[in-house]
Amino acid sequence: MPDAQLLAAQDLRLDVNLLDYVILALYFLVVLGIGFAARRAVRTSLDFFLSGRALPAWITGLAFMSANLGATEILGMAANGAQYGLMTVHYYWIGAVPAMVFLGVVMMPFYYRSKVHSVPEFMRRRFNGATQLLNASTFALAQILIAGINLYALGLVMDALLGWPLWVSIIVAAAIVLAYITLGGLSSAIYNEVMQFFVIVAALVPIVVIGLTRVGGFSGLGEKVKQGVLGEGGLHTWAQTGGTDNPMSANWIGLVLGLGFVLSFGYWTTNFAEVQRALSARNTNAARLTPIVAAYPKLVIPIVTVIPGLVAVVLFGNLGKDGGPTYNEAIPLLMNEFLPNGVLGIAVTGLLASFMAGVAANISGFNTVFTYDIWKSHVNGDHSDEWYVRLGRIATTGGIVAGIGAAFIAAGFSNIMNYLQSLFSFFNAPLFATFIIGLFWRRMTAWAGFWGLLSGTVCAFASYILYKTGVLDFGTELNASFWGAGIAFVVDAIVSVVVTLVTTPKPQSELRGLVYGLSDASLSDDALAGDAAWYRSPVILGAGAVVLAAAFYLPFL
Amino acid sequence: MAAPQRLFDIRRVIGGLFLLYGLILTVTGLFDGAQEIQKAEGIRINLWTGIAMLVVGGAFLLWERLRPADAPASSDASSGDEE
C-alpha cells in the first residue's frame, strides 16, 4: 500500500469558483443526510455495528472496494504509475484480485457463518481471549494512526489545492465523518462508500479522457512513454523480472510470493476494516460475493489511476525530479491542467470524499473492535444492548479525537508516520499465517494462536526497525516490506507449530464451524431465492475474476 | 415506505445526486466559453460529463423502480436478537 507521501504546496492552487464550491457543499449535505436517515434504522447494536446484516452483495461489494479506495491509494497508485509505469498493475491484478477471490470462496463461510462481529472475535472463538485482545489492540491502534495519517494527508491536499489552512480541513473533515458515523453507524459508512465510489469515478474519467486526447490516444501515450524516462520498461509488467533490471527493481519471485501472496493475502483476508463490509451482508452467499463483486471494479481501476500517472510523467518532464513536483502530485497537476470549473468541482469533491471514506472505514472498524473485543469481552460484558450502542458512539467520538491527535503528531513528525504507514502495510502478514494454519490444522492450540501472533508481530516490527536503523540491508522500501512480511509470516508459522506440539488442543466440539472439515450442522441454510443462479455463484464469479486478471496481463507482458 | 426500521435505498440517493450534478454540469457546459473548451483539449467536458451523469443517475432511479429492494426471505426484524 502506498505511503502518504506529502504534497508540496507550490504550483498546485486550483482556480476554483463558486460553482465548484456549490458542488462540494451539495455533497456534504447529502453525506450528512445519509447519516440522519440511517439513524432511524439503528435500533440494536447489530444495526449499528453491522448494518443489521441486511445488505445485498452489490452494496457490500462496492463498499469493500471503496474502503480501500481512499485518496492516499488513488494519489499513491497514480504516483506509482508515473514512477514504475505499467508494473503498477501488479498491485491490482496479482496483489489484490486473487486474495479477494480466496477470501470470498474459501474463508468467508467461516467468518460469516460463525456469526462473529469482528476478526478479533473469530480469533477468540478459534483460539482464546488473549489472542483476541492482542489482535484487537494492535488493530485498534493501527486504525487510529492510519486515520490520523489520512486526515493529515487530506489537510495537506486541501491546503495545496484550495488554500485551506491545514487544521481547518482536518477538523471539518473529521467533524463530518464523526457526525455521520455516530448517527448511522456502519450503514452510514457503507452507503457513503458506495456513493463515493461513483463520484470518484466521475471525477477521474474526465481526466483520463482529456489526458489521452492530449497525448494522442493509447498509441501516442505508449510512444511517448517509450521515449521518456521510463523507456520500454514502463510498458511491460513481467519483462525483465527474471533479474531486477525493471522499473520496480523487483524479481518475479518477490512479486508472486511477496506481493501476490504474503502482503496481499494478509491485507485482504484479515484486515477487519475490509472484512467488516462482508460481515454486514444479508446472507452467506452475499457475504461470499462481497469481495468477489469488489474484484471486478478492482480489475479496471488502473485505467483511472495508472493511466493518469503515465500521462503526467509524459506531460510534466520534471515530475519526481529534484525541484519538480513529487510523483504524488500527478493527479492534482492534471486536474489543474485540464479541468474547467464544474468538472473541477466534481474532482475536488471526489478527492475529498475518498479521503473521508478512508477515515470512516478506519473509524467504523475501530469502534466495533473497541466495543466488542476490548470493552465487552475484557472489561465489562454485563450491560444491555443499548448500552453498547451508546458505547459504540462514544468510541467513535474518542476514535475521531484520537485520530485528529494523530494527525497533529503526523504534522510534527511526518517521518515517523511514514514509517508507521509502511510498517502497517505488512502488519497483517503474521495474522494471516495464524489464521490460515488455524483454519486448516484442527490440532493447532489456543496458546499457539497467541504466541504465534505475538512473535510474528514482534518480528515484523523488529525487521523493519533493523532495516530503518541500517542493521539489515534490504535495498528498497518495497523489498524491505516483502522481507518483513515474509519473516513475520514464517516466524509466526514456526512458533505456532512448536507451541501446538507442547500444548493441548481444543476439543472438537468447540471448533465446529471454525475449522476446515468440521462444519456446524446446527446452522440452517440461509440461501435466498435466486442464489442458485450461476451469476450469484461465488466460485464461478471468482474464477472469472482470476481468469480476467490473467488475461489482462497478456497485452502488457 | 415499509416498516420504519428498514434502511432507505441508496440507489435513490446516488440517482438523485447524479441527476443534480448532471443537471448543473450540463447547463454549465452549454454556456462554456472558448477558454473552458480549450483548457480541456477542445472537448466540451462539462457538457459530456453532465450528460453521462444524467444517464447514470437516471439508470439508478430506473433500477430502483424496476427492482425494488429484494424482500428478505427470512425474518429480518428478528435477526438482531438471535445471539
Side-chain angles (χ1 to χ4, degrees):
Chain A
M1 308 299 123
D3 289 353
Q5 270 163 15
L6 316 176
L7 289 154
Q10 75 280 11
D11 306 321
L12 277 172
R13 191 61 47 84
L14 301 176
D15 193 13
V16 283
N17 66 11
L18 183 65
L19 177 65
D20 301 315
Y21 275 118
V22 168
I23 289 174
L24 185 59
L26 278 172
Y27 189 81
F28 284 165
L29 283 179
V30 173
V31 165
L32 291 175
I34 289 179
F36 279 104
R39 176 166 213 220
R40 293 186 304 152
V42 175
R43 291 198 313 187
T44 66
S45 62
L46 194 69
D47 293 335
F48 188 78
F49 295 109
L50 283 180
S51 300
R53 283 206 185 94
L55 298 174
W58 74 270
I59 290 182
T60 54
L62 288 178
F64 183 94
M65 202 203 45
S66 280
N68 169 258
L69 199 65
T72 47
E73 166 84 10
I74 291 168
L75 299 180
M77 284 302 158
N80 285 341
Q83 192 173 356
Y84 304 122
L86 282 184
M87 287 187 86
T88 307
V89 299
H90 289 315
Y91 282 104
Y92 297 87
W93 297 342
I94 192 166
V97 170
M100 292 161 93
V101 170
F102 182 81
L103 172 65
V105 171
V106 179
M107 291 171 70
M108 194 50 71
F110 297 96
Y111 273 134
Y112 190 86
R113 291 180 68 78
S114 64
K115 295 286 176 201
V116 293
H117 293 92
S118 65
V119 173
E121 192 184 348
F122 189 91
M123 301 312 265
R124 176 175 63 80
R125 298 270 305 275
R126 173 62 185 85
F127 303 109
N128 56 20
T131 318
Q132 173 190 34
L133 191 60
L134 172 64
N135 180 211
S137 311
T138 51
F139 175 81
L141 183 67
Q143 294 310 297
I144 295 295
L145 290 171
I146 295 172
I149 293 166
N150 264 319
L151 281 172
Y152 177 56
L154 172 148
L156 285 176
V157 170
M158 289 300 127
D159 184 14
L161 299 185
L162 305 176
W164 295 3
L166 190 69
W167 61 272
V168 171
S169 316
I170 291 178
I171 289 178
V172 167
I176 291 174
V177 170
L178 172 65
Y180 75 74
I181 299 198
T182 320
L183 287 165
L186 187 65
S187 304
S188 274
I190 285 184
Y191 272 22
N192 277 306
E193 279 160 5
V194 174
M195 190 167 75
Q196 172 257 337
F197 168 73
F198 289 100
V199 174
I200 194 77
V201 170
L204 292 172
V205 168
I207 297 176
V208 175
V209 171
I210 303 173
L212 282 175
T213 311
R214 164 72 79 88
V215 298
F218 287 104
S219 57
L221 181 62
E223 218 33 63
K224 292 192 174 82
V225 168
K226 212 181 283 186
Q227 290 156 8
V229 270
L230 279 169
E232 183 72 28
L235 297 176
H236 295 281
T237 52
W238 292 105
Q240 306 298 331
T241 54
T244 53
D245 182 23
N246 56 65
M248 260 186 192
S249 312
N251 70 16
W252 67 273
I253 301 177
L255 288 172
V256 173
L257 285 181
L259 181 62
F261 181 64
V262 180
L263 284 177
S264 153
F265 278 65
Y267 175 82
W268 290 101
T269 62
T270 63
N271 183 349
F272 178 56
E274 293 291 338
V275 173
Q276 188 177 23
R277 272 75 200 146
L279 293 184
S280 67
R282 63 184 171 186
N283 66 355
T284 310
N285 199 58
R288 297 181 74 192
L289 281 177
T290 297
I292 294 166
V293 165
Y296 283 86
K298 192 79 187 169
L299 282 168
V300 292
I301 292 286
I303 296 174
V304 293
T305 56
V306 179
I307 291 181
L310 289 172
V311 170
V313 79
V314 162
L315 289 185
F316 311 112
N318 60 349
L319 189 69
K321 304 257 170 60
D322 283 341
T326 67
Y327 286 117
N328 270 331
E329 289 166 342
I331 283 185
L333 280 168
L334 294 172
M335 284 164 58
N336 202 8
E337 178 82 8
F338 293 143
L339 300 184
N341 295 115
V343 177
L344 185 62
I346 302 279
V348 171
T349 303
L351 214 49
L352 201 54
S354 64
F355 269 120
M356 295 197 315
V359 176
N362 300 138
I363 296 298
S364 57
F366 167 82
N367 68 19
T368 308
V369 163
F370 180 83
T371 305
Y372 278 112
D373 298 302
I374 296 179
W375 202 274
K376 193 175 179 178
S377 303
H378 294 278
V379 180
N380 191 338
D382 301 330
H383 289 283
S384 64
D385 193 59
E386 296 86 63
W387 195 90
Y388 290 107
V389 176
R390 217 158 42 237
L391 180 64
R393 291 197 158 112
I394 295 169
T396 307
T397 313
I400 288 271
V401 170
I404 294 176
F408 280 96
I409 296 173
F413 306 93
S414 63
N415 271 341
I416 293 176
M417 282 300 184
N418 276 337
Y419 298 159
L420 282 176
Q421 178 107 344
S422 324
L423 181 61
F424 291 142
S425 75
F426 58 89
F427 212 64
N428 285 304
L431 184 55
F432 175 60
T434 297
F435 207 104
I436 205 74
I437 298 171
L439 198 58
F440 288 104
W441 193 31
R442 238 175 262 181
R443 196 187 178 299
M444 183 174 175
T445 61
W447 284 105
F450 177 79
W451 290 110
L453 190 57
L454 183 65
S455 54
T457 309
V458 169
C459 276
F461 261 112
S463 72
Y464 193 71
I465 290 169
L466 289 178
Y467 162 67
K468 275 296 165 193
T469 51
V471 181
L472 290 173
D473 184 17
F474 293 125
T476 63
E477 191 87 359
L478 194 76
N479 216 17
S481 68
F482 164 42
W483 280 98
I487 292 169
F489 185 91
V490 170
V491 167
D492 184 312
I494 293 173
V495 172
S496 299
V497 171
V498 170
V499 176
T500 293
L501 296 178
V502 297
T503 43
T504 353
K506 293 180 91 165
Q508 288 207 353
S509 57
E510 289 179 24
L511 294 177
R512 292 220 164 268
L514 303 172
V515 296
Y516 199 80
L518 271 186
S519 60
D520 189 344
S522 68
L523 283 174
S524 60
D525 185 16
D526 60 359
L528 294 172
D531 277 353
W534 65 268
Y535 56 85
R536 285 199 190 169
S537 154
V539 175
I540 293 176
L541 292 186
V546 173
V547 168
L548 275 181
F552 282 3
Y553 270 122
L554 293 179
F556 310 110
L557 289 175
Chain B
M1 293 287 135
Q5 79 271 18
R6 252 189 98 68
L7 202 52
F8 57 98
D9 199 316
I10 186 65
R11 290 175 292 183
R12 205 176 297 169
V13 182
I14 298 174
L17 182 73
F18 268 57
L19 281 188
L20 192 60
Y21 277 171
L23 195 67
I24 293 174
L25 288 188
T26 307
V27 172
T28 310
L30 288 175
F31 294 102
D32 268 347
Q35 200 196 340
E36 283 83 9
I37 296 173
Q38 201 189 353
K39 187 176 185 189
E41 300 298 313
I43 302 171
R44 299 191 72 114
I45 197 70
N46 274 330
L47 185 62
W48 288 114
T49 309
I51 291 172
M53 288 182 96
L54 283 176
V55 171
V56 172
F60 267 104
L61 293 185
L62 194 67
W63 180 20
E64 198 233 337
R65 179 64 59 87
L66 293 179
R67 293 206 40 197
D70 302 358
S74 57
S75 54
D76 201 27
S78 70
S79 63
D81 318 313
E82 68 197 30
E83 261 132 314

